[in-house]
Amino acid sequence: MRVLFDATAIPADRGGVGRYVDALLPALEAEGVDLRVVCQARDADQTAALVPGADVVPVHALVERRPARLAWEQTALPLLARRGVDLLHSPHYTFPVVTPVPLVVTLHDATFFSHPQLHSPVKARFFRTATRLAVRRAAGLVVPSRATRDEVVRYAGGSPSRFTVAYHGVDTEIFHPVAAAERARVRAAVGLGADEPYVAFLGTLEPRKNVPALIEGWVRACAGAGDGPAPALVLAGGAGWDTAVDAAVAAVPAGLRLIRTGYLPLGDLAGLLSGATVVAYPSLGEGFGLPVLEAMACGSAVLTTRELSLPEVGGDAVAYTGTGAADIALALRELLDDAPRRAQLAVAAEARAAGFTWREAARAHVAAYERALARG
C-alpha cells in the first residue's frame, strides 16, 4: 500500500493537527505503510527525520500561504496522486475535489456545526462546507472519537460505516510523571515560586476552551479557600481570538496570581502538567481532547467536562464539572480540598492513558485505508 499523505496544511506552530501528523506518520511507517509525504518546505527536514523510509516531497514556499495552498491542493496535488500511489490521505478536512485514487479524509471535530458561535463566522462556514464535501466525496473518513462521528453524521449525513474511529495516542516518552528537578525547572521558567501550588490549563485561548469561565471559577474557588495559600492559575497556550479572556484576566483580584505563558515548548509540558495541583480543561466541546490525555499520562488530577468526546478520553479517571463558572468553582474547590481524591485520580489517569497509543491509532488508519481501497 503506497499512500500519498498531504501534510501541507500543518502550521508552523505544531499544536493540534501538527501533533497528530507528527505522531501518526512514524507510527504508520512502523505498520509497514509505504509513505510519500508532501509537506511545506520548512518542514522537510523534520518530516524526513520522522519517517526516514518515506519519500518526502517539499512544496514551494509560496504554498505556505493559505489561498495559495488551497489552489495548489486542487491543481498540483491530484497530479502527484497520479504518480505511483494507491491512495491519498488528506489529514485536515480539505482535499482535492477530483482525485485519481481513493481518498481518505480526517475530520477532527464537528463543533463548526454544533457550536458555530465558538468559531469565527468565516472559519465555521469554511469547515462546514469542507466537512459536507468530504462526506460526499471521500472513500473513507477518519475521526478521533465516536462523538465526532455521531455529530458529523447528525449534521452532514453519511453512512456510519464509512467512518473509522481512530483515537489519538500519547507519546509517553514526552508525557509522563517527571522528577522534582524537572518540575522545578519549568516552575522557574514560567515564573512560579518553588513551592507555589497552581492550577494549570493547556490549550489555545479560543472561545471553545471556555477560559473566561475557568478564570472566574478559579477566582471563586480561591475565595472559598481555607488557611492555605491560594493556587496560582497558569494558562499555557497560544493566544486565540477569545476577546473575553483579557476582560476576565483584568477582573482577577490583586491578591491572586494568574500567569499567561504563551506557547510553551513541547519539552516543558510534562513538567508543567506533572507539577500542577489540578489540570483544568473545562472545554465546551472537543473532537478528542489531546491536552486531557497528555495531562493524564503525566499523572495529573484532571478536571474537565462531559461535553462531546471528553468522557471517551477521561472515563472514570478524571473529575468532571459543568461548563459555567459556578460549576467550575465548586468542582475545583472540592478537588483542591481533597488530596486523597487527587492522588486516586492521578494513579487512575496514568493507567488509563497507557491504553491510548499511536500504534493503535496507526492500525485504525490502516484499516480505514484498506476499506477505502476496497471501495475503489
Side-chain angles (χ1 to χ4, degrees), residues 129-147:
T129 299
T131 298
R132 290 189 179 107
L133 193 58
V135 168
R136 291 200 301 269
R137 298 275 187 167
L141 299 160
V142 174
V143 290
S145 64
R146 295 190 302 273

Side-chain angles (χ1 to χ4, degrees), residues 286-375:
E286 296 291 322
F288 180 77
L290 193 56
V292 169
L293 179 60
E294 291 169 345
M296 290 165 62
C298 290
S300 304
V302 178
L303 177 66
T304 189
T305 69
R306 296 188 182 276
E307 300 300 309
L308 296 180
S309 64
L310 291 167
E312 291 181 60
V313 179
D316 295 329
V318 301
Y320 292 100
T321 177
T323 57
D327 293 327
I328 295 169
L330 179 61
L332 183 57
R333 185 69 260 160
E334 288 178 350
L335 207 50
L336 290 170
D337 287 341
D338 194 343
R341 171 68 171 150
R342 296 198 309 270
Q344 179 188 48
L345 287 173
V347 172
E350 189 179 355
R352 181 172 174 85
F356 291 84
T357 69
W358 286 110
R359 181 181 184 183
E360 288 303 314
R363 288 177 172 176
H365 281 75
V366 170
Y369 296 164
E370 290 172 344
R371 286 192 286 268
L373 287 170
R375 292 187 183 101

Side-chain angles (χ1 to χ4, degrees), residues 21 53 61 130 156 160 188 195 201 215 222 258 264 279 283 287 289 325-326 335 345 348 365:
V21 168
D195 299 314
F201 166 85
I215 294 171
C222 290
L258 186 149
L264 278 183
V279 174
S283 176
L335 207 50
L345 287 173
H365 281 75

Side-chain angles (χ1 to χ4, degrees), residues 58-136:
V59 297
H60 193 281
L62 291 175
V63 176
E64 189 167 349
R65 300 177 60 189
R66 181 172 296 172
R69 196 200 73 79
L70 292 172
W72 170 90
E73 184 178 66
Q74 298 303 320
T75 56
L77 184 57
L79 297 178
L80 286 175
R82 292 182 182 277
R83 301 175 187 172
V85 300
D86 302 308
L87 179 138
L88 169 63
H89 183 183
S90 293
H92 189 55
Y93 297 97
T94 67
F95 56 92
V97 174
V98 178
T99 60
V101 295
L103 170 72
V104 170
V105 179
T106 300
L107 303 174
H108 294 278
D109 71 73
T111 58
F112 306 107
F113 296 96
S114 61
H115 299 72
Q117 73 280 7
L118 302 180
H119 303 278
S120 71
V122 171
K123 182 177 180 181
R125 284 194 298 271
F126 177 85
F127 283 104
R128 286 197 300 267
T129 299
T131 298
R132 290 189 179 107
L133 193 58
V135 168
R136 291 200 301 269

